[in-house]
Amino acid sequence: MTELTWQRRHVISLADFTQNDYETVLQTAVSFLEVLSRRNKKVPTLQSKVVANLFFESSTRTRNSFELAAKRLSADTLNFAPGTSSLSKGETILDTARTFLAMGTDIMVIRHQSAGVPLAIARDMDALSGGKVAILNAGDGKHEHPSQALLDLLTLCMYLNPTAPTAKDLKGKKVAIVGDILHSRVARSNLWSLATNGAEVHLAAPPTLLPPEFAEYGAKIHYSLEPALEDADFVMTLRLQMERMGQFLIPSLREYHARYGITRDRIAKCAANVQVLHPGPVNRGVEISSDLMDDPRLSLIDKQVTNGVAIRMSLLYLLGTAI
């Protein structure tokens, strides 16, 4: 087996992740899952490090998951809320990041509604700190959401191989991603992750929510649901992001569910042991039926949340030991 190595100081995108990078994150996360199963769930690996969660956009799951991950690694944490910050007084985003740098922050976890902000902060921090601060993209606009795709990768691989999961387990598996592809940073990051590790990715959505250029990244495009679901091993359904839609892109939520909603009847077309996923938050009865979402035999949604803490511990640990 090739020795796993890590040389990244930032995680902004999965577009240039290698198979070695994926495997390193995955195997490190598996070791932290074992830690999380103990009575004492804390380890001292990032003791004395400072992790700042700079969430310029609202979030519940991702922010809390990163905060818990940092605390499990014994890091000191700082949390930023734009509504009560100096941004309301005219401070720029880069000035905010520089303030946290001056406080001694080692890792900045950035979420922003505009694509490119984590990269801009990474470049600024590199210039100011000489490479002593790591930046982790927790979701930027319609660009990417690396940690979500990585926790999805861990969830899929652990289902396929619970005792010794590896990214190689995905090779040849069919994964259908259904929903608001246009606005989804989760879809973009998952596309890089799944394709790099040998999965066959099928995207399904109304034409208004699925740009044809996604085919250039190796995905197969479907504007009807049935061909995407046929013999699929996994179905990942995405939230309709109504807050990002500037135009009337679907006739109604009811019609969307009627044509693209994932239900128990529809997954009958999938492989025998199909499993469904959703990054959350979920619009129940729109993207996926409640009975399917809550069925532990078919749904990996709760495992995604649990695995999210382990993946974020893995990323913080790898970045924290690299700087």
Side-chain angles (χ1 to χ4, degrees):
M1 180 177 177
T2 304
E3 183 180 354
L4 298 177
T5 58
W6 181 261
Q7 298 179 333
R8 293 179 177 272
R9 289 186 298 106
H10 309 302
V11 175
I12 307 296
S13 168
L14 298 185
D16 62 346
F17 255 52
T18 65
Q19 288 183 318
N20 179 83
D21 290 330
Y22 286 111
E23 206 62 65
T24 300
V25 173
L26 208 65
Q27 297 310 318
T28 306
V30 169
S31 69
F32 283 129
L33 279 173
E34 193 277 325
V35 171
L36 293 172
S37 69
R38 302 175 191 169
R39 184 170 184 176
N40 181 3
K41 297 175 172 60
K42 266 197 165 185
V43 289
T45 48
L46 289 189
Q47 198 165 35
S48 80
K49 296 286 188 181
V50 178
V51 176
N53 293 311
L54 307 184
F55 277 60
F56 299 90
E57 181 184 53
S58 298
S59 168
T60 300
R61 289 164 180 77
T62 304
R63 182 179 63 79
N64 287 329
S65 183
F66 269 113
E67 183 176 1
L68 182 57
K71 289 179 176 178
R72 293 289 188 235
L73 295 168
S74 302
D76 296 318
T77 59
L78 297 171
N79 291 310
F80 166 86
T84 57
S85 75
S86 293
L87 287 178
S88 60
K89 302 174 183 178
E91 183 174 85
T92 69
I93 293 169
L94 290 180
D95 283 338
T96 298
R98 290 171 183 175
T99 299
F100 280 88
L101 172 65
M103 292 180 187
T105 297
D106 299 288
I107 303 172
M108 295 183 187
V109 182
I110 312 291
R111 187 183 186 101
H112 199 278
Q113 61 268 31
S114 298
V117 169
L119 178 59
I121 292 176
R123 288 172 173 167
D124 194 55
M125 292 300 103
D126 282 348
L128 292 173
S129 74
K132 295 181 180 178
V133 176
I135 305 300
L136 208 167
N137 181 6
D140 63 329
K142 294 191 292 185
H143 177 225
E144 284 207 47
H145 194 347
S147 65
Q148 180 66 49
L150 290 167
L151 74 87
D152 291 340
L153 178 68
L154 175 61
T155 303
L156 297 178
C157 293
M158 288 200 68
Y159 175 77
L160 294 169
N161 189 351
T163 57
T166 172
K168 295 177 182 177
D169 295 325
L170 270 181
K171 188 173 183 179
K173 299 297 181 182
K174 180 177 178 178
V175 182
I177 302 178
V178 181
D180 187 357
I181 310 293
L182 174 65
H183 301 99
S184 178
R185 52 197 171 205
V186 173
R188 287 166 173 81
S189 288
N190 264 296
L191 184 51
W192 295 123
S193 170
L194 295 169
T196 299
N197 289 293
E200 183 182 315
V201 184
H202 292 248
L203 306 178
T208 52
L209 296 179
L210 179 50
E213 56 263 30
F214 273 88
E216 298 173 10
Y217 305 128
K220 296 186 178 180
I221 304 296
H222 304 281
Y223 296 118
S224 60
L225 189 57
E226 287 71 20
L229 295 186
E230 188 174 357
D231 296 325
D233 298 287
F234 299 99
V235 179
M236 184 181 301
T237 182
L238 303 173
R239 182 174 67 90
L240 282 179
Q241 299 186 42
M242 304 303 293
E243 73 278 8
R244 296 185 190 273
M245 295 188 189
Q247 301 86 20
F248 194 62
L249 299 179
I250 57 172
S252 68
L253 296 181
R254 177 176 294 183
E255 183 167 334
Y256 175 86
H257 181 72
R259 295 191 60 190
Y260 295 96
I262 304 302
T263 64
R264 197 177 296 271
D265 289 341
R266 284 204 165 116
I267 64 168
K269 298 179 179 293
C270 300
N273 296 317
V274 65
Q275 297 286 296
V276 297
L277 303 91
H278 194 301
V282 181
N283 294 310
R284 286 176 178 263
V286 179
E287 301 110 18
I288 185 171
S289 62
S290 287
D291 67 309
L292 181 55
M293 177 181 169
D294 295 333
D295 189 336
R297 299 167 301 172
L298 297 169
S299 173
L300 295 174
I301 295 172
D302 286 344
K303 289 183 172 61
Q304 287 175 275
V305 177
T306 301
N307 291 339
V309 178
I311 278 290
R312 285 157 182 146
M313 288 177 72
S314 173
L315 291 170
L316 292 173
Y317 167 76
L318 291 168
L319 291 174
T321 53
I323 55 177

